[in-house]
């Protein structure tokens, strides 16, 4: 044991000695480095024997060394530098020896420190081994985490795939499975039940899905195909029976077919189901509906049209009822007792009210009600009722076909024509027969404008099905109207005034017919103007003007001719202005003619009582313009007679003139206007007479003092103006 201790002690001493040696070596190195850091005076560079010695550089080095603090201290004390250097070296050696002794003295502590450091190294080594183990463990854990992450991603992908497959399979199974509820409802429930309609939608979806799967050759489709086909056959059978029953109900007398139509519209999906799954049955139903409704419409409108024609006026116009035909030319129908009836052929009266919105779209006529009340109507009223019923039923039918049978465009038009074509052809045929023998031009023209308005109504409702029919009707009516108008024009052109009986200055019945007829056509034509109609009216006006002039020429005196012309022009103008616009071509034309003939008539009636004065004024004014008034200075006797004659007779003459005018003109307003115009013209002439006599040529005439004061004359004339 002692040997062991001694061995340990010896080894500890050796260790301490070697450690002390190491420390001493370290201290020597530190002291040496400390000594080397002391500032030194570099004298090697101050070699004065060198050839390169430069005083400036020596000065710089000396100055730099002198700045050192130790050098400054040594210089102050006057120490020899060499001696000082040795002293420093000796001091260093002493310090070194002292340091070594100190380290030897502390060798035990240093050994202890060495042992502690060694122990620390072992501990740190064990810790390093532990940390290395931890590091290897962490590396293995990281690899395990990566493995788990990869497994998690893989499981997630598999889960999503399974969920996707499950959703598809679930949907497939749901679509394939035929629930018992569907089977019971399709087999047992009435088709009118809401539940049946809902299950029919579901069945339709399953049928479509089964078709889609069959295209993909899905094996599961065969499992349900049989039951789906059986349910489809049962549903088709029940739907077919239901729809055919509704169609057959249309055929019952007095049935309002719009009610079963509305019922069918509630179940429009039935036909859609048939069309998608059983086209043969869908075609059967469609053909049955088309045939049934075609016969119903044809029967209804044929019966209705026939009964309507029984309430038409018995007296209708014929080929002899023309504008230029004299009243005495026909015996019987339009003889004196029927004169009023003939005049209504050319008069609009209340017939134009048929075009008002309230009457145009008013209720249709009920023939048996009209017959019980012994009511009679003109043709255009029957025409309106007939075609409004056609319009209303046609629009409703077109909308039903488009909705229930799911057709549009040309298909809808073709289907509509299959149903309504026979009825429309019957209408056109009967209308063609009637129109070919119709001579009531106002009735034809009203029918044309009824069709134009009905055409606008269908366009507004966006129903194109009736367009071709409207055009066909207009192609029938327009030529007939133009032909009747041309016949009236020709009748007036061919009229012989000498065969029209006794001459009369009052308005002629032919001009009255024209006025009534023209105002009627112009007022109707304002909404839908037609240039051809305007051109024919222009020709008719020319012929009437020529006729009036030919009739006026039959009167022997110009005065009677003018009275006849003014009465006829005034009558035609008054009638036209009641219905036509004030700026219409016809109104403006007759206003100009009336004004011209009125002015001429005023001159004519002023001529007998005041002709001498008027002639003198005109002659004098003409000479005044030429500066030759002196040629009349010798007409004193003539002037005296004119002045005294006017003064003595003018009141009686004006009174007689007024009475004569009022007797000559049937229109009191027109007569009053002519009297006022005549008196105004008389005052103008008398004013001209004053003006002529005030000229130097006649100033010396003594008779000038007998002239009536112009203002006084105007006051007196106003008293003679009639008031009506």
């Amino acid at each position: 044991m002692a040997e062991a201790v001694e061995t340990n002690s010896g080894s500890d001493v050796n260790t301490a000695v070697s450690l002390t040696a190491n420390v001493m070596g370290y201290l020597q190195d530190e002291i040496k480095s400390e000594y080397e850091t002391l500032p030194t005076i570099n004298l090697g560079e101050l070699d004065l024997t060198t050839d390169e010695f430069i005083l400036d550089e020596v000065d710089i080095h000396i100055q730099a060394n002198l700045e050192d603090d130790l050098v400054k201290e040594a210089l102050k004390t006057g120490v020899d530098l060499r001696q000082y250097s040795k002293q420093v070296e000796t001091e260093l050696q002493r310090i070194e020896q002292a340091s070594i002794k100190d380290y030897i003295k502390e060798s035990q502590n240093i050994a202890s420190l060495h042992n502690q450091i060694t122990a620390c190294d072992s501990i740190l080594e064990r810790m390093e081994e532990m940390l290395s183990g931890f590091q290897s463990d962490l590396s293995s854990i990281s690899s395990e985490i990566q493995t788990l992450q990869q497994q998690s991603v893989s499981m997630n992908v598999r889960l999503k795939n399974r969920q996707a497959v499950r959703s598809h399979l679930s949907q497939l199974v749901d679509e394939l499975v035929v629930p018992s509820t569907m089977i019971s409802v399709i087999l047992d429930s009435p088709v009118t039940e809401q539940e049946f309609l809902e299950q029919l939608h579901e069945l339709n979806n399953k049928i479509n899905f089964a078709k889609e799967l069959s295209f993909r050759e899905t094996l599961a489709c065969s499992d349900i195909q049989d039951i789906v086909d059986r349910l489809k056959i049962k549903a088709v059978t029940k739907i077919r029976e239901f729809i055919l029953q509704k169609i057959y109900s249309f055929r019952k007398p007095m049935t309002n077919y719009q009610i079963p139509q509305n019922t069918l519209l509630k179940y429009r999906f039935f036909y859609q189901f048939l069309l998608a799954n059983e086209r043969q049955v869908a075609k059967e139903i469609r053909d049955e509906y088309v045939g049934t409704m075609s016969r119903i419409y044809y029967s209804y409108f044929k019966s209705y049209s026939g009964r309507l024609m029984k309430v038409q006026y018995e007296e209708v116009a014929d080929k002899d009822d023309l504008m230029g035909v004299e009243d005495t030319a026909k015996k019987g129908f339009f003889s004196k007792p029927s004169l009023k009836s003939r005049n209504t052929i050319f008069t609009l009266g209340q017939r134009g009210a048929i075009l008002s919105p309230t009457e145009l779209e008013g209720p249709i006529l009920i023939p048996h009600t009209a017959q019980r009340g012994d009511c009679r109507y003109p043709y255009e009223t029957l025409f309106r009722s007939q075609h409004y019923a056609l319009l209303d039923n046609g629009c409703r039918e077109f909308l039903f076909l488009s909705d229930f049978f799911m057709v549009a465009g040309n298909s809808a038009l073709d289907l509509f024509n299959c149903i309504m074509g026979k009825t429309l052809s019957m209408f056109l045929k009967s209308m063609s027969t009637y129109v070919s023998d119709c001579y009531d031009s106002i009735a034809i023209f009203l029918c044309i404008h009824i069709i134009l308005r009905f055409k606008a109504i269908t366009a507004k409702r966006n129903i194109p099905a009736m367009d071709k029919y409207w055009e066909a009707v207009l192609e029938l009516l327009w030529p007939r109207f133009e032909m009747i108008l041309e016949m009236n024009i020709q009748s007036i052109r061919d009229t012989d005034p000498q065969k029209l009986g006794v001459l009369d200055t009052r308005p002629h019945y032919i001009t009255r017919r024209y006025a009534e007829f023209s105002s009627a056509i112009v007022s109707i034509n304002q909404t839908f103007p037609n240039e051809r109609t305007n051109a024919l009216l222009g020709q008719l006006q020319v012929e009437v003007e020529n006729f009036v002039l030919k009739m006026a020429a039959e009167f022997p005196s110009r005065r009677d001719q003018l009275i006849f012309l003014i009465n006829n022009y005034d009558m035609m103008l008054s009638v036209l202005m009641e219905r036509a616009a004030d700026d219409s071509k016809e109104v403006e034309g007759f206003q100009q003619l009336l004004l011209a003939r009125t002015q001429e008539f005023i001159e004519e009636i002023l001529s007998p009582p005041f002709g001498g004065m008027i002639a003198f004024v005109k002659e004098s004014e003409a000479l005044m313009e030429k500066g030759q008034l002196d040629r009349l200075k010798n007409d004193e006797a003539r002037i005296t007679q004119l002045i005294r004659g006017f003064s003595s007779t003018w009141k009686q003459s004006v009174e007689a003139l007024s009475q004569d005018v009022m007797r000559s003109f049937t229109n009191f307003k027109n007569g009053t206007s002519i009297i006022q115009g005549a008196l105004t013209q008389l005052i103008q002439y008398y004013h001209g007479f004053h003006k002529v006599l005030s000229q130097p040529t006649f100033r010396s005439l003594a008779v000038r003092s007998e002239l009536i004061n112009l203002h006084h004359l105007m006051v007196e004339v106003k008293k003679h103006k009639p008031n009506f």
Side-chain angles (χ1 to χ4, degrees), residues 375-416:
C375 298
R376 291 292 183 267
Y377 301 94
Y379 177 71
E380 65 272 8
T381 301
L382 310 181
F383 182 89
R384 196 280 318 174
S385 183
Q386 184 184 46
H387 281 81
Y388 187 69
L390 179 65
L391 179 148
D392 191 47
N393 285 275
C395 290
R396 183 184 294 273
E397 187 63 33
F398 183 79
L399 293 174
F400 174 82
L401 294 176
S402 301
D403 198 359
F404 186 78
F405 291 104
M406 297 177 296
V407 289
N410 291 331
S411 299
L413 295 178
D414 293 340
L415 186 59
F416 178 84

Side-chain angles (χ1 to χ4, degrees), residues 27 223 345 444 446 497 541 656 692:
L27 291 174
D223 296 339
I345 298 171
I444 297 293
L446 285 171
Q541 181 179 350
V692 170

Side-chain angles (χ1 to χ4, degrees), residues 379-380 383 442-452 477:
Y379 177 71
E380 65 272 8
F383 182 89
I442 290 182
I444 297 293
F445 200 58
L446 285 171
C447 291
I448 289 173
H449 280 264
I450 288 171
I451 293 298
L452 291 174
L477 297 178

Side-chain angles (χ1 to χ4, degrees), residues 205-467:
N205 292 334
K206 291 188 182 298
I207 293 172
N208 293 334
F209 189 70
K211 290 179 182 178
E212 183 180 350
L213 291 181
S214 64
F215 289 138
R216 300 178 185 174
E217 299 181 356
T218 304
L219 296 178
C221 178
S222 59
D223 296 339
I224 65 162
Q225 191 66 49
D226 182 59
I227 189 169
V228 168
D229 289 341
R230 291 183 181 182
L231 288 175
K232 181 181 74 172
I233 293 171
K234 183 63 177 178
V236 168
T237 303
K238 295 177 71 173
I239 290 171
R240 176 182 176 276
E241 292 176 358
F242 172 75
I243 297 179
L244 288 178
Q245 181 184 2
K246 291 298 178 184
I247 294 174
Y248 294 152
S249 68
F250 295 166
R251 302 174 182 177
K252 296 179 182 178
M254 307 299 293
T255 299
N256 183 359
Y257 59 87
Q258 293 176 2
I259 295 176
Q261 271 187 341
N262 293 334
T263 303
L264 287 176
L265 285 177
K266 289 172 59 179
Y267 303 103
R268 61 175 65 85
F269 181 72
F270 288 173
Y271 184 80
Q272 183 180 346
F273 181 83
L274 295 178
L275 195 63
N277 300 289
E278 198 62 52
R279 285 186 172 272
Q280 193 63 33
V281 176
K283 184 178 183 301
E284 177 192 0
I285 288 176
R286 177 169 162 171
D287 293 343
E288 190 67 33
Y289 178 84
V290 169
T292 299
M293 293 308 296
S294 177
R295 290 191 293 272
I296 289 174
Y297 281 126
Y298 180 79
S299 175
Y300 167 73
F301 280 107
K302 184 178 181 180
S303 172
Y304 181 67
S305 299
R307 285 181 291 162
L308 268 184
M309 297 308 292
K310 293 179 181 179
V311 296
Q312 185 185 4
Y313 281 133
E314 295 179 358
E315 298 179 358
V316 295
D318 59 22
K319 62 182 179 179
D320 294 323
D321 295 316
L322 300 175
M323 201 174 296
V325 175
E326 58 273 19
D327 282 334
T328 58
K330 188 178 180 188
K331 300 295 182 181
F333 212 68
F334 284 104
S335 58
K336 282 294 181 181
S338 300
L339 179 62
K340 181 178 179 182
S341 208
R342 169 176 284 185
N343 288 338
T344 58
I345 298 171
F346 307 102
T347 304
L348 184 62
Q350 297 301 316
R351 297 170 74 182
I354 197 73
L355 298 179
S356 64
T358 53
E359 290 202 24
L360 187 69
E361 300 183 54
I364 62 174
L365 292 177
I366 309 299
H368 61 269
T369 304
Q371 285 177 328
R372 283 202 301 266
D374 198 23
C375 298
R376 291 292 183 267
Y377 301 94
Y379 177 71
E380 65 272 8
T381 301
L382 310 181
F383 182 89
R384 196 280 318 174
S385 183
Q386 184 184 46
H387 281 81
Y388 187 69
L390 179 65
L391 179 148
D392 191 47
N393 285 275
C395 290
R396 183 184 294 273
E397 187 63 33
F398 183 79
L399 293 174
F400 174 82
L401 294 176
S402 301
D403 198 359
F404 186 78
F405 291 104
M406 297 177 296
V407 289
N410 291 331
S411 299
L413 295 178
D414 293 340
L415 186 59
F416 178 84
N417 289 330
C418 289
I419 294 175
M420 301 296 294
K422 190 176 179 181
T423 302
L424 298 180
S425 298
M426 181 266 294
F427 266 43
L428 290 174
K429 184 177 180 180
S430 62
M431 199 182 314
S432 176
T433 302
Y434 180 85
V435 168
S436 63
D437 195 38
C438 177
Y439 294 89
D440 188 351
S441 53
I442 290 182
I444 297 293
F445 200 58
L446 285 171
C447 291
I448 289 173
H449 280 264
I450 288 171
I451 293 298
L452 291 174
R453 284 162 173 77
F454 282 169
K455 186 178 179 182
I457 290 173
T458 54
K460 185 178 180 180
R461 295 181 184 180
N462 196 24
I463 307 294
M466 303 287 291
D467 290 350

Side-chain angles (χ1 to χ4, degrees), residues 488-511:
N488 280 286
I489 293 172
Q490 189 63 40
S491 70
I492 294 177
R493 186 183 295 128
D494 296 340
T495 300
D496 185 358
Q498 295 180 352
K499 296 180 180 180
L500 296 180
V502 181
L503 293 176
D504 193 343
T505 58
R506 290 176 297 180
H508 199 275
Y509 59 84
I510 290 181
T511 57

Side-chain angles (χ1 to χ4, degrees), residues 44-60:
E45 294 180 357
L46 299 177
D47 188 5
L48 299 176
T49 63
T50 61
D51 296 334
E52 298 178 357
F53 176 74
I54 302 172
L55 294 178
D56 293 335
E57 293 182 359
V58 172
D59 291 338
I60 293 171

